[in-house]
Amino acid sequence: MSTKFFSRLALMCSGSVIAVTAVHAQEAAPPESPQQPEREIVVTGSQIQGAKINDVLPVTVVDEIDIANVAATSGDELFRAIPQAGGVAFNEQNDVTSNNARGDAASINLRDLGTGNTLLLINGRRMVLNPGFQTELLVPVVSPDTNEIAPGSVRRIEVLRDGASAIYGADAVAGVVNTVLRGNRKGGFLESEWRGSDGTSLYSAQINGGYGFDFADGRANLTVYGGYFHENGLPSSARAYSADDDKRALLVGTPFEDDTQFNNRNTFGPFGQFDIQAPVNATPIRDDDFFLQPSTFPGCRLQFGNGLCARNGITPDVAVRYNRAFGTTLISEKTRYNAALLFNYQFSDSVEGYFEGTYYRSESSRNITPAANLSAVPVGISRNAHWNPFGPVTFPGGAPNPNRLPGTTISASGADIIMERYRFVDVGNRTVDVDKDSYRLVAGLRGNFGAWDFDTGFVYSEAKTIDLEGNRVSLTLFQQSVNRSTPDAYNPFNGGCVTGDPGEGDCTPNPQNAIDPFVIDVFRKGGTTLALADFKVSNNNLFSLPGGDVGVAAGIEWRRETFFDDRDPRLDGTITWTDSVTGVFDGSDVAGTSASPDTSGAREVYSAFVEALVPLVSEDMDIPLVHSLNLQLAGRMEHFKDIDETAIVPRAAASWTVVPGITLRGAWSQGFRAPNLVQVNDEGTTRSNTRDDFVICQAQVEKGIIAGLGVCPGEGVISFRSGTDQLQPEDSESVNLGIVLEPRFIPGLTLTADYWRVKQTGLVGTFGDDNAIALDLLLRLTGSSNPNVIRAAPTQEQTDLFAGTRLAAAGEIIQVLDPYLNLDSRVSKGWDFGLAYNVPDFGLGQFRLRFNAARLESFVQSAGPDGQTLLDGIADGALPPEVVVGGLGQLLEIDGRPKWRFSGSVNWGRGPVDVSLFASYVGEVWNTSVSRDVPIVSDDPNANFFRVDDFLTVNFAVAYTIENDTALDGTRLRFGINNVFDEDPPLADETYGFLSALHSPRGRVFRVELRKAF
C-alpha cells in the first residue's frame, strides 16, 4: 500500500495505536531468526477494523523474536521483560500468609499505578481474574494471572501504554496488554528444553508441541497446542541472601555494616516468652514476664535445667531470636500443564466463525516458616498443666510435682501462665500446596456486510484454586494438649537448641504423640468466572474529507463477573477459639492467622462505546509543515449494576506528521476504575498488627517514663477492615505527548519518545490503623477522640498514669475500625523511549536491534482529609515528630518504583545460524524499612534509607537449524545462558533478602533446547 494511504489513516495516540513488524514463523526462517519475510500491521487502541498504521508509530510489542530472546518459561518472566510492566505484587515469594495470592501466579501492573489498573486481553477480549487476592496498601487487589499465558503459544504481546477506558472499559486506567495467540498454523512442531541453575540443584524440564492444518478446501483451520513444564524447586539455604534472616554478614564494608535493622530474626521462636500470673517478686526472675534462653547466655535469673534458664523481660534477646528462613523454600516446586485449540471456518466470503479454547493447570509446593501465635492472641497455660514450671506442689492424688521449680513463693496451688510469644518449631515447617485450574471458551462470528466490518462473540472463563497449608496449629486443640495433667502433654518450656545456633531448628522437640493432636491442615478455596458478550461494527470509509476517509466504530458489551473466597472453618468463624484459662475470645482458631470470613460477590456491567478516526490533512493538500494531521475521538459509557454507578469517559487524540519522517502525537483521556468485587463485598476482615499506642505512650512521655514516642513499645492491635457498595469509582485523567523519528537517510530505523502523565483521584484505600491511632492522639489533645479507635475502660493503673498529663485517661485498644474508603489522590508521570532498527544486509548477515526504556519521573500521592489533618498536626507541632504518616508525598524509587527500566536486544542471523543477545535493567530504589544508625545530612529526604542496587541481566543464545532433504530437516538445536554474569538480585530488607516484585533469584541458568518442525 502507498505511504499516502498510511498517512491518511495513521493515528498515534501516545502508544495507544501500536505498529509492529511481526515475524511470521516459517520453518525455513524460524521465528527466532532476525529475518523478516512478511510484514503485518497491528492495531491496538482502535476498534476500527482496517485502520492500519506504519512503522513510524510507537512500538511496545513483544514479538516471536523477542519471546525467544527473553527465554521465559512462564508468562510472569515474559511480562517482566517489558519495562513499562512495573512491580509484580503476586509472586511465589509472597508466601508468608494465606491471605496472599500464593502459588504459581503473577500479576500485571503497568506504570506501577497499582495492581488492578491494567486490562489484560487475549486475542482482544479480557481474561478472567485470578481467584486469589491480597492486600496492597491495606486494600484487597485483584489481577489476571500472567502465568496462564504459555509463551510457546504466543505470536506477540501488544502493550497499549495509555489509559484506554474510553475504548476498552474499566481496568484500563494504566493501559492494555493484549496477547495474540498463534492460530492458523500449517504444520507442526515439537520441542523440549532442559534448564539448570549454575551452582545449585535447581533444574526444569519442559516439552511443548503444536500442530495446525487447513481443511474444507482451505476454508477452515484447526490449530492445537499443548505443553508440560516441571521445576524441582530450590531451598532458601542455597542463596546467602535468603538463607538467614540476619543479613548483617552481607553488609561488611558498607555504611550499613552491623546495622541491627538487617537482623530480622524473629522474637517468636522455640524459646518462648511468658507472663506468670503471679506477683513480680514471687520468683527469682523478679518479673512476671520472662523468656527462655540457653543457660550459657548472660542475664539468667532462674535455672530451668537441661541447659535452659529464664531471663526477665517481654522481648527475647537478639541472640535467641529465630531464623524464619530455616527450612524454607526460595523457588517452589511446580508443574504446569497447558492446552489450546483455535478453530476458524469461512462460511462465505463475508462471514467467518471462530472458536478458542484454552486450559491451564498449575501445581506448586513450598515450605515456609513454622507457625507461631499472634502477639494479640496469647494462649493461657493452666496452673495444672503437667509441664507448667510454676504449677502446684503436688499433683492430684498427692504425688509430688517434679516439674515445679524450687525457690519461688508462688502458692502451693500454682499459677497460670500466659504464653505470649512462641513458634511451634518442633511441629515442622508449614507446607503450602496450591493447585489451580483455569479454562477459557470463546466463540464468535466476524466478517462484513457491505462496507461495515463486524465482530461478535461470547466468552466464558473460569478459574479455581485450592491453597492447602499443612502443619498449622489449632489453638483449641493445642490448649487441650498443653494443659493436660499427664506426661503426654505438650511442653512449651523445653526451649530449642542450647548449643550451636539457638535460632535454627529445635534440638529438644516434643514427642510426636504430643504434637499430632493439634496439627491441622488449613484450606483457602477461591474461584472466579467471567461471562462476556459483545457486538462491534466498524467502517474505515464512512465518508471522505479532503484529508482522507473517515472511519468509525461502535459497540456494546455485557459481562458478568463473579468470585468466591471460601476460608477454612477455623478461619471463617465456624470454629472459633475461647481461651479456657483467660476466657478471651478470638474468631480464628488457627495460630498465627486472623479471622477471615467467607466472601463472594457478582457484578453485571453494561457498556457501549463509539469511536471516530478523522483525517484532517493529507499530503495531497500540500500544506507546508503539515504532511498529515489525524484526529481520534472516542467515548464510552459503562454501568456497574452492583454499585449502581454509571461512568461516561471521553478520549481525544491527534497525530501530526510535520514532514515525512517526523511525527508528533498527543492524547488526552479520562478514565475510571470501579472498586473491585472484594472491596465491595468484604463484610469484615480482622487483622492483627504490631502498632504503637501513641495515646498511652504520650502519657508515658509526659510522666518521664520513656524518652519519646520513638521508643514506644509496640503491641498487638486488632484492625477491622470492611467493604461497602457505597464506594465510588476511582477517576483518572491521562495526557500523552510524543515524537516519532524515522529518518529516510537511515532506512529501517525508528526512534520514539513519549511523555505521559496520569492523575488519579478517589483512590480506594484504608486510613490505616496506625494513622487512626495517631489521629486519636491528636483529637485527645484537644479534648475529643477518634471513634474508630475502640478502647476498654481505663484501669486504675492507667488512670494514675494519665493523671497530671494533657490527656484524659484512656484504656487499651480493643479494636480499630478501618473501612475501605475513597481517600487519596495520585499524580504519576514519566517518559518512554524506543528504538527499532532492521539493519540493511551488507553481506554480513542480518542484524536486528531493539531498545525499550521507561523513565518514571515522579510518583506523588496526596493525602485525603484525615491524612491532611495528621500532616497539619505534625507541621504545627501539635503532634510530635515521631508520628509519621507513610505512603504520601514523592514515592519515586520508594520500595519498588525505580526511575529507570529498560530492555534491549541484538539478533544476528546468517544461513542456519542465529545468535541473540538480550539485556534487561531495573534501576535502584530506596528500602525504607532500614535507615542509617548515624544519619547523614542531605537535601535528599531518602538519603538515610538503604539503597537497593540496580539489576542488569544479560541473556545469550546460539541456535543452529538443519536445512536439508533428510528426516532431520527443520530440526533446531539451541544453547543459551540466561543471566550470563550470574548476577544475584540486589540485597533488600525483605523476607527472602530481595525485592521479589522486581528481581529474580534464579542466577545463571544454562539451557538446551531441541526443536523439530514438520
Side-chain angles (χ1 to χ4, degrees):
M1 293 185 180
S2 67
T3 302
K4 174 181 176 181
F5 176 83
F6 283 114
S7 64
R8 286 181 175 179
L9 294 180
L11 175 66
M12 293 167 288
C13 310
S14 299
S16 66
V17 179
I18 297 176
V20 60
T21 302
V23 181
H24 289 254
Q26 297 183 358
E27 306 314 335
E32 294 76 7
S33 168
Q35 302 176 40
Q36 298 185 330
E38 296 188 39
R39 301 173 64 81
E40 178 177 299
I41 301 302
V42 179
V43 178
T44 298
S46 174
Q47 300 278 13
I48 302 174
Q49 299 297 314
K52 297 181 180 179
I53 53 179
N54 61 13
D55 291 338
V56 302
L57 296 184
V59 175
T60 304
V61 169
V62 180
D63 61 19
E64 289 181 286
I65 296 177
D66 297 316
I67 292 171
N69 290 340
V70 175
T73 60
S74 67
D76 178 33
E77 292 179 4
L78 182 57
F79 280 74
R80 282 180 186 245
I82 303 171
Q84 292 80 13
V88 181
F90 295 14
N91 64 76
E92 63 178 311
Q93 282 80 33
N94 203 4
D95 63 7
V96 293
T97 169
S98 60
N99 295 316
N100 285 347
R102 300 192 296 193
D104 188 27
S107 54
I108 186 73
N109 179 16
L110 282 179
R111 307 292 195 198
D112 274 314
L113 294 185
T115 305
N117 282 286
T118 303
L119 181 58
L120 196 59
L121 309 175
I122 294 180
N123 282 352
R125 290 186 171 93
R126 65 177 56 225
M127 287 180 63
V128 70
L129 295 173
N130 185 65
F133 60 86
Q134 65 187 42
T135 59
E136 187 173 296
L137 300 176
L138 303 180
V139 297
V141 294
V142 295
S143 170
D145 178 9
T146 58
N147 278 343
E148 289 188 27
I149 299 171
S153 62
V154 176
R155 182 191 296 274
R156 64 183 176 273
I157 296 173
E158 308 163 358
V159 181
L160 170 57
R161 304 171 298 170
D162 186 18
S165 290
I167 296 175
Y168 288 102
D171 311 49
V173 172
V176 177
V177 179
N178 182 32
T179 299
V180 180
L181 301 180
R182 196 175 190 284
N184 286 313
R185 173 175 284 278
K186 298 177 181 63
F189 73 95
L190 186 66
E191 63 185 14
S192 61
E193 184 184 65
W194 179 90
R195 299 186 182 211
S197 177
D198 190 16
T200 74
S201 60
L202 180 68
Y203 73 87
S204 67
Q206 63 178 319
I207 183 167
N208 301 296
Y211 184 73
F213 60 93
D214 289 343
F215 61 98
D217 297 325
R219 291 182 291 115
N221 180 271
L222 177 67
T223 299
V224 295
Y225 291 96
Y228 167 84
F229 171 86
H230 177 75
E231 186 169 55
N232 68 325
L234 187 70
S236 300
S237 57
R239 304 292 193 195
Y241 51 81
S242 59
D244 200 324
D245 278 338
D246 185 358
K247 306 187 187 306
R248 291 175 295 175
L250 305 176
L251 293 157
V252 174
T254 75
F256 287 84
E257 183 174 347
D258 290 329
D259 193 309
T260 58
Q261 296 168 95
F262 268 103
N263 183 1
N264 293 316
R265 289 201 170 193
N266 197 257
T267 56
F268 290 77
F271 294 91
Q273 183 258 314
F274 307 89
D275 186 335
I276 312 170
Q277 301 302 286
V280 295
N281 59 356
T283 73
I285 302 172
R286 298 189 300 279
D287 194 340
D288 58 337
D289 294 299
F290 73 93
F291 61 88
L292 296 174
Q293 65 177 27
S295 297
T296 54
F297 284 23
C300 290
R301 290 190 172 181
L302 180 62
Q303 293 296 326
F304 270 53
N306 298 318
L308 280 177
C309 74
R311 181 174 176 177
N312 63 304
I314 62 173
T315 306
D317 188 70
V318 171
V320 80
R321 296 180 186 176
Y322 189 71
N323 174 24
R324 291 168 298 174
F326 184 75
T328 63
T329 300
L330 177 61
I331 297 176
S332 304
E333 179 182 1
K334 60 181 71 71
T335 303
R336 303 186 188 112
Y337 310 86
N338 66 82
L341 183 150
L342 296 94
F343 169 77
N344 55 274
Y345 186 89
Q346 193 79 30
F347 292 105
S348 68
D349 292 340
S350 57
V351 178
E352 179 185 43
Y354 57 89
F355 173 81
E356 302 166 16
T358 60
Y359 172 75
Y360 171 80
R361 177 175 173 82
S362 67
E363 302 166 354
S364 69
S365 300
R366 64 190 293 115
N367 292 340
I368 63 176
T369 192
N373 67 298
L374 293 172
S375 58
V377 189
V379 179
I381 299 176
S382 168
R383 65 189 65 199
N384 295 314
H386 180 81
W387 298 107
N388 186 338
F390 306 110
V393 174
T394 60
F395 286 133
N401 180 359
N403 299 317
R404 175 166 170 138
L405 296 176
T408 76
T409 60
I410 290 175
S411 70
S413 62
D416 297 332
I417 295 179
I418 305 300
M419 188 181 78
E420 295 188 332
R421 299 175 193 258
Y422 188 75
R423 189 173 297 278
F424 302 89
V425 178
D426 54 3
V427 172
N429 286 78
R430 287 175 288 166
T431 60
V432 178
D433 296 286
V434 182
D435 294 342
K436 175 178 179 178
D437 291 277
S438 177
Y439 69 89
R440 171 185 171 93
L441 304 173
V442 182
L445 296 172
R446 58 187 167 218
N448 63 81
F449 43 89
W452 290 87
D453 296 303
F454 73 90
D455 189 346
T456 182
F458 180 79
V459 178
Y460 184 79
S461 187
E462 184 172 311
K464 290 184 178 180
T465 59
I466 300 177
D467 180 321
L468 186 66
E469 189 171 324
N471 282 347
R472 296 305 305 266
V473 172
S474 161
L475 291 170
T476 299
L477 299 177
F478 168 73
Q479 194 168 50
Q480 292 172 3
S481 179
V482 78
N483 285 334
R484 289 191 185 117
S485 59
T486 51
D488 61 345
Y490 184 86
N491 181 10
F493 303 103
N494 60 0
C497 296
V498 297
T499 59
D501 188 344
E504 294 195 341
D506 187 348
C507 300
T508 57
N510 277 268
Q512 203 63 39
N513 66 343
I515 294 173
D516 287 342
F518 61 80
V519 175
I520 58 173
D521 292 337
V522 174
F523 71 77
R524 179 186 183 185
K525 300 178 181 178
T528 54
T529 67
L530 167 68
L532 180 150
D534 61 12
F535 179 77
K536 296 173 287 187
V537 296
S538 68
N539 187 331
N540 64 3
N541 186 14
L542 183 65
F543 59 88
S544 295
L545 294 176
D549 298 328
V550 174
V552 296
I556 56 175
E557 179 185 279
W558 165 87
R559 72 176 185 271
R560 185 175 189 271
E561 299 170 291
T562 70
F563 91 100
F564 73 85
D565 186 49
D566 179 16
R567 302 299 182 109
D568 192 276
R570 296 182 185 273
L571 290 174
D572 67 10
T574 303
I575 301 174
T576 59
W577 179 63
T578 300
D579 193 310
S580 62
V581 174
T582 65
V584 173
F585 170 85
D586 193 77
S588 167
D589 186 49
V590 180
T593 301
S594 303
S596 295
D598 296 340
T599 310
S600 63
R603 162 177 291 165
E604 288 191 43
V605 184
Y606 303 87
S607 61
F609 79 93
V610 62
E611 175 193 357
L613 193 152
V614 184
L616 300 176
V617 177
S618 72
E619 61 176 303
D620 291 342
M621 299 172 70
D622 293 326
I623 299 178
L625 298 181
V626 186
H627 184 262
S628 66
L629 179 62
N630 302 281
L631 177 68
Q632 181 198 44
L633 299 173
R636 188 180 190 93
M637 180 279 294
E638 197 144 341
H639 177 72
F640 294 81
K641 190 173 180 180
D642 59 326
I643 59 174
D644 194 24
E645 289 287 339
T646 300
I648 300 176
V649 291
R651 173 180 174 81
S655 68
W656 168 26
T657 300
V658 182
V659 295
I662 301 177
T663 299
L664 305 176
R665 58 171 174 255
W668 168 87
S669 63
Q670 290 182 338
F672 61 95
R673 186 179 76 90
N676 64 52
L677 282 173
V678 186
Q679 294 168 356
V680 172
N681 292 281
D682 188 353
E683 296 180 358
T685 299
T686 59
R687 293 290 179 263
S688 176
N689 302 294
T690 299
R691 300 293 186 232
D692 296 334
D693 188 341
F694 294 125
V695 173
I696 289 179
C697 286
Q698 180 63 28
Q700 293 174 334
V701 170
E702 295 187 21
K703 285 294 188 69
I705 299 174
I706 61 176
L709 293 186
V711 293
C712 181
E715 61 182 51
V717 171
I718 299 296
S719 174
F720 183 78
R721 303 171 191 162
S722 57
T724 172
D725 59 5
Q726 300 304 304
L727 288 170
Q728 303 294 310
E730 300 172 355
D731 293 325
S732 64
E733 182 181 55
S734 299
V735 174
N736 287 265
L737 301 169
I739 184 171
V740 179
L741 301 177
E742 194 176 39
R744 292 190 170 184
F745 56 87
I746 309 180
L749 174 65
T750 301
L751 301 170
T752 65
D754 294 275
Y755 167 82
W756 59 270
R757 179 182 183 273
V758 178
K759 180 179 181 180
Q760 299 167 275
T761 57
L763 296 173
V764 175
T766 65
F767 187 51
D769 46 14
D770 49 351
N771 289 335
I773 296 168
L775 182 60
D776 192 39
L777 171 59
L778 180 63
L779 295 175
R780 285 177 180 272
L781 289 170
T782 59
S784 60
S785 63
N786 182 359
N788 284 332
V789 180
I790 302 172
R791 295 179 178 272
T795 63
Q796 185 59 51
E797 182 181 359
Q798 290 164 338
T799 300
D800 295 340
L801 171 65
F802 281 88
T805 70
R806 293 178 294 162
L807 299 166
E812 65 181 29
I813 298 172
I814 298 174
Q815 187 181 66
V816 177
L817 304 180
D818 204 15
Y820 306 135
L821 303 168
N822 291 98
L823 291 174
D824 303 338
S825 60
R826 179 190 299 149
V827 177
S828 313
K829 52 188 176 182
W831 291 83
D832 293 325
F833 302 96
L835 176 150
Y837 187 28
N838 299 325
V839 181
D841 190 351
F842 296 107
L844 299 177
Q846 292 184 311
F847 287 88
R848 176 186 189 267
L849 309 179
R850 293 293 184 269
F851 180 77
N852 180 15
R855 167 64 159 93
L856 185 61
E857 182 177 308
S858 179
F859 195 97
V860 177
Q861 188 141 318
S862 302
D866 286 344
Q868 191 59 50
T869 299
L870 284 181
L871 294 175
D872 293 342
I874 296 170
D876 61 22
L879 284 176
E882 293 91 345
V883 176
V884 177
V885 182
L888 297 174
Q890 177 59 267
L891 302 181
L892 178 65
E893 292 191 305
I894 298 297
D895 293 328
R897 300 179 185 91
K899 286 183 180 178
W900 283 102
R901 298 179 66 144
F902 70 73
S903 64
S905 62
V906 179
N907 289 83
W908 173 82
R910 187 172 187 179
V913 179
D914 293 294
V915 179
S916 66
L917 198 65
F918 172 81
S920 178
Y921 174 83
V922 179
E924 300 173 311
V925 295
W926 295 106
N927 202 172
T928 59
S929 62
V930 177
S931 58
R932 294 175 185 262
D933 287 336
V934 180
I936 61 173
V937 178
S938 173
D939 293 335
D940 187 344
N942 301 315
N944 287 298
F945 295 131
F946 180 74
R947 189 70 162 168
V948 178
D949 290 337
D950 53 4
F951 189 46
L952 174 65
T953 57
V954 177
N955 297 352
F956 168 80
V958 57
Y960 182 85
T961 303
I962 298 174
E963 300 173 359
N964 56 30
D965 294 329
T966 71
L968 295 178
D969 184 47
T971 301
R972 183 188 64 213
L973 177 65
R974 179 195 284 117
F975 172 76
I977 306 175
N978 288 4
N979 193 356
V980 172
F981 301 106
D982 197 20
E983 293 291 329
D984 284 335
L987 183 67
D989 183 37
E990 297 294 324
T991 301
Y992 291 96
F994 70 102
L995 293 169
S996 57
L998 296 179
H999 306 131
S1000 168
R1002 294 180 180 276
R1004 182 190 290 124
V1005 175
F1006 296 97
R1007 52 193 178 91
V1008 179
E1009 177 196 287
L1010 181 65
R1011 184 180 193 272
K1012 176 67 172 73
F1014 54 88

